[in-house]
Structure formats: C-alpha cells, structure tokens
Amino acid sequence: TNAGVNSNGSTYHFAAFETGADLVVGSYTGDGGFSKSISGLGFTPAFLIVFSNGSPSRPVWTNTQMEAIGFPGPAVAEFGVAQIWTGYVTSFDPTGFTVASFLDVSGTVYHYAAFKAVAGTLTTGSYAGTAGAKSPATGMAPQYVIACNGSVNGLSVQRLASNAVNESMDFTATASMTTEITAFNAGSYTAAAGSLQANNTGTTNYFVAIGAGQANPLPVELISFRAECDKPNNQLTWITASETNNDFFTIERTGDGEHYIPIGRIPGSGNSSSSHTYSLIDSFVPEGKLDYRLRQTDYNGEYRFPGVVESDDCNNPESEFSFRMYTGDDHQLNILFNLRADASYEFGLIDINGRSIRTGQLIASKGTNLFELNVEGYPAGLYLFRLTGSQNTITRKFYISR
C-alpha cells in the first residue's frame, strides 16, 4: 500500500534482473578505512550500483567509461542529485571492485549490484554530445537505459521499454515524465537534441544499456564435469543445471591431446529446467594421463563441447601429491589437490606458444584444496597449468572451448 510504488491509479515502470554469472548482488560493512576491496564476483564489473543502509551517502552508479579527472578510478553519478563525484570507487578489479572512504564508513552496511558486460545483453559507453539528436550504439535493442553527463547540469535519467514514445524519467521520487531519451531503436537509443542529462554538448555523456537477455541460450548449462580414478577405471561425472533440445551426450577420450575416440554415449533429458547428474565408467583405461571431452548433441544434430577434463594416470599408485583439474564451464578452471602438510606454491598459466600469460602464488593447507581460476576472455585452444612447490612440480594441459 506504499504510495511510492502502489498509488491507486498511477502507472509504474520496473526493470527486473536475474542474478547469476553476469549479475552479482551483495553487501558489505564499512570499516572506516581509506580503501576496501570487494572480490569474488567472478568477473570485472562494467556497471556498478552501490547504496548505503543509512544516510552517509546517496545511491551511486558508475560504468567503466566514467572518468575521474585527477583521482584514481572511475567517477560516480548520484541517483536523484545533479552531481558527479570522484574518489568513491577507486578501481574495477579482475573479480570485483574497490571503494574509498566515502563508501566505507565504519559500521555502515552497503549494498551493491555488479553487472558484467555481455554482448547483446549489457553495454556501457560514453559519447560527446551533439547539437542534434544523438543515437549511441548499444549492440542490441535496449529494454532499459540509464544515462548522465559528466557535469552537474542534470540528474541521471532512465528509460524503459514500457515507457511511451518520447518519455523517460528522472531518478527522483516525485519527478514527472521528461523527454530526455525519446526512443529505443534496433541497435541504439535516441537522446533528445539539447538534453542536458543525456546529450550535453559541453561534457562527456555516459550510459548503460540493458537488453532482454540472450536470445538463443546454450542447450546445456553445465555445472561441473569431473574425472575420478577408481582403480583400474576412470569415473566420469557431469551435472547439468538445465537442458534445452538435448538429445544425448558422448564422452570422448584422447591420450595425445589431438585424436579423440568416443568411449560411451548417454541419453540427455531433452528439455529440463532442473538439475541432472550423469555418469559413465571408462573401464579400458590405457597407461598415462588422459583427456576426456564431453560432446553434447541436439535433436537437430548440432553438437557442442561444454567441458574438457584431464585425469590422473589411473594405472600408477597415488602419489603423495594427488592432483587433478576439471572445468565447470568455459570460464572456470578448477584445480583440486591433497597435501600431507601446509605448503606454498607458485602457479603459472602458459599458452600453446610457450608464453607465460599469468602467474601467482597459492598458499595451500594440509588436506584437500580447491583453487578456482577464472579464464574468461582467453582465446579458445590448448593451455598448460603449472604448479611448483619445494618438493614437486606438476604441469597439466587443459582446453578452453567456446
């Protein structure tokens, strides 16, 4: 019954987003420091909203194009106030973001929504204003757009697909409709000529455009794909979150990384929105390390490779350093190993040409350790993962498929 969202006879517009691999929502408590890093998102945010559970600061938003002149990191725009601020968000990080003291007041709870840039779904950008109408490219038919300019000349403005022609809205509780964003197009939106909020000729303008989502989702959403040695066999297990038009799976095996042979076929679940677990036993395991590839085939005969995993040599006794790798999807490499004592390791990622493309340190503890490495954005192909300690070095190959 709140009049702000349910006043009798008023029309309301809304945008709803699904959390997952491309959108993470969360909260943190400020500690009063000069810098606080929020990590574990699994991607570098392209669009970020942060607001406090109190009054230290108003809700703010930013994208990767917003410039903070003379300060580290991007600028932020306040919702409902004609203001651009610097020194609030200091960086967009590989798996999160870092805020400064203005968004880190001691004891204050902050909430955030971090969005990933996805082709055809979410685009961020900037542009110089023009004297006439401006139509920035979005790469998709927008369903929701937020725009602002890099000065204090106007509020952030928004438009939804449900708005009428020539209609958009300011971010204030009592604002009436405005005409700053006049239309949505097949691959752009149109900002009105002379708009101080979305087409200011004196400063850079910034925007976030969100589409309706992926038009053709992948037929199988894979949660995990694993190979486990159950001497003398290898146990292959994979779990799906959803399936669309899925006829069957084929497990393929190779010993040289190039020539695959099929070793088994398992029927799929057709169309399903629930999780399914599949397994297959490879009972004719040759000596040496093996790669297993999961092939998924649609009812129409099209196929894809949603996962590749490498197994240990199942014919050798388990070493003191038990190690295996598997892929959950194209973006995540999972390294699972057991230790008899705490240890420190250096890891390296090497491409097919022998070039080191990523290094780091891993502090591991006695028992089972799981190390997750995000490999999103790397070209498809063969890679090496190397783990080096004081007593041993393990090198394994893995594949990134698209």
Side-chain angles (χ1 to χ4, degrees):
T1 59
N2 188 294
V5 293
N6 190 21
S7 179
N8 186 31
S10 295
T11 298
Y12 294 85
H13 304 270
F14 68 89
F17 309 100
E18 181 181 20
T19 58
D22 305 327
L23 166 61
V24 175
V25 298
S27 61
Y28 65 90
T29 301
D31 55 22
F34 290 100
S35 178
K36 188 176 186 67
S37 295
I38 312 301
S39 61
L41 305 183
F43 56 85
T44 300
F47 170 40
L48 177 66
I49 301 173
V50 183
F51 62 93
S52 65
N53 196 19
S55 60
S57 63
R58 298 183 180 90
V60 297
W61 71 276
T62 182
N63 69 10
T64 52
Q65 286 77 29
M66 284 195 185
E67 300 175 327
I69 306 301
F71 288 85
V76 299
E78 281 192 317
F79 285 123
V81 177
Q83 188 62 272
I84 299 291
W85 294 101
T86 56
Y88 277 57
V89 178
T90 57
S91 66
F92 291 113
D93 307 324
T95 62
F97 59 95
T98 300
V99 298
S101 58
F102 292 116
L103 294 177
D104 191 22
V105 176
S106 180
T108 297
V109 176
Y110 296 85
H111 305 276
Y112 63 85
F115 295 75
K116 174 185 174 183
V118 179
T121 300
L122 186 145
T123 302
T124 66
S126 62
Y127 55 92
T130 58
K134 181 75 175 183
S135 295
T138 60
M140 91 299 262
Q143 299 295 299
Y144 183 40
V145 167
I146 301 174
C148 73
N149 68 77
S151 71
V152 295
N153 291 338
L155 303 169
S156 295
V157 64
Q158 60 186 330
R159 177 181 169 86
L160 292 89
S162 56
N163 285 130
V165 175
N166 206 34
E167 183 179 89
S168 53
M169 300 172 290
D170 291 333
F171 278 94
T172 59
T174 57
S176 58
M177 293 297 177
T178 183
T179 57
E180 308 298 322
I181 300 177
T182 60
F184 282 168
N185 314 308
S188 66
Y189 69 93
T190 300
S195 168
L196 293 179
Q197 294 166 265
N199 190 19
N200 189 348
T201 57
T203 60
T204 303
N205 300 270
Y206 304 99
F207 75 90
V208 175
I210 299 175
Q214 191 173 7
N216 297 300
L218 294 175
V220 168
E221 183 182 356
L222 189 67
I223 296 176
S224 65
F225 178 38
R226 302 186 179 188
E228 297 178 298
C229 180
D230 184 14
K231 297 181 182 295
N233 306 319
N234 267 333
Q235 173 82 41
L236 288 305
T237 305
W238 62 101
I239 303 173
T240 63
S242 63
E243 300 177 33
T244 303
N245 194 35
N246 181 29
D247 191 1
F248 61 89
F249 296 99
T250 306
I251 295 291
E252 301 176 342
R253 185 185 69 200
T254 179
D256 59 11
E258 296 182 8
H259 304 94
Y260 282 87
I261 61 171
I263 62 169
R265 174 169 158 170
I266 300 292
S269 297
N271 295 284
S272 173
S273 58
S274 59
S275 176
H276 291 273
T277 300
Y278 301 88
S279 64
L280 184 144
I281 295 177
D282 184 4
S283 55
F284 301 96
V285 181
E287 292 184 0
K289 292 180 171 61
L290 301 169
D291 293 332
Y292 291 92
R293 183 168 69 181
L294 182 65
R295 178 197 289 255
Q296 178 272 322
T297 303
D298 297 345
Y299 287 122
N300 58 12
E302 295 183 359
Y303 62 88
R304 297 165 183 81
F305 298 102
V308 178
V309 67
E310 184 175 9
S311 75
D312 287 323
D313 187 347
C314 211
N315 286 318
N316 287 337
E318 185 174 308
S319 65
E320 177 179 346
F321 186 80
S322 177
F323 179 95
R324 65 184 176 88
M325 296 169 54
Y326 62 93
T327 54
D329 55 34
D330 285 346
H331 306 318
Q332 197 76 21
L333 177 67
N334 303 276
I335 300 95
L336 186 67
F337 56 93
N338 295 297
L339 295 178
R340 294 185 179 179
D342 296 349
S344 175
Y345 286 87
E346 302 291 330
F347 74 86
L349 200 61
I350 303 166
D351 68 12
I352 190 62
N353 298 313
R355 294 174 299 192
S356 176
I357 58 176
R358 188 169 178 180
T359 59
Q361 187 179 37
L362 175 61
I363 306 299
S365 57
K366 179 181 178 180
T368 301
N369 293 265
L370 175 61
F371 177 48
E372 297 177 332
L373 186 65
N374 189 287
V375 293
E376 182 181 6
Y378 294 166
L382 176 67
Y383 293 82
L384 294 178
F385 178 84
R386 179 170 295 156
L387 197 62
T388 303
S390 59
Q391 302 294 325
N392 45 33
T393 297
I394 300 291
T395 301
R396 297 288 177 83
K397 59 181 177 291
F398 70 96
Y399 299 87
I400 296 177
S401 59
R402 293 286 183 260

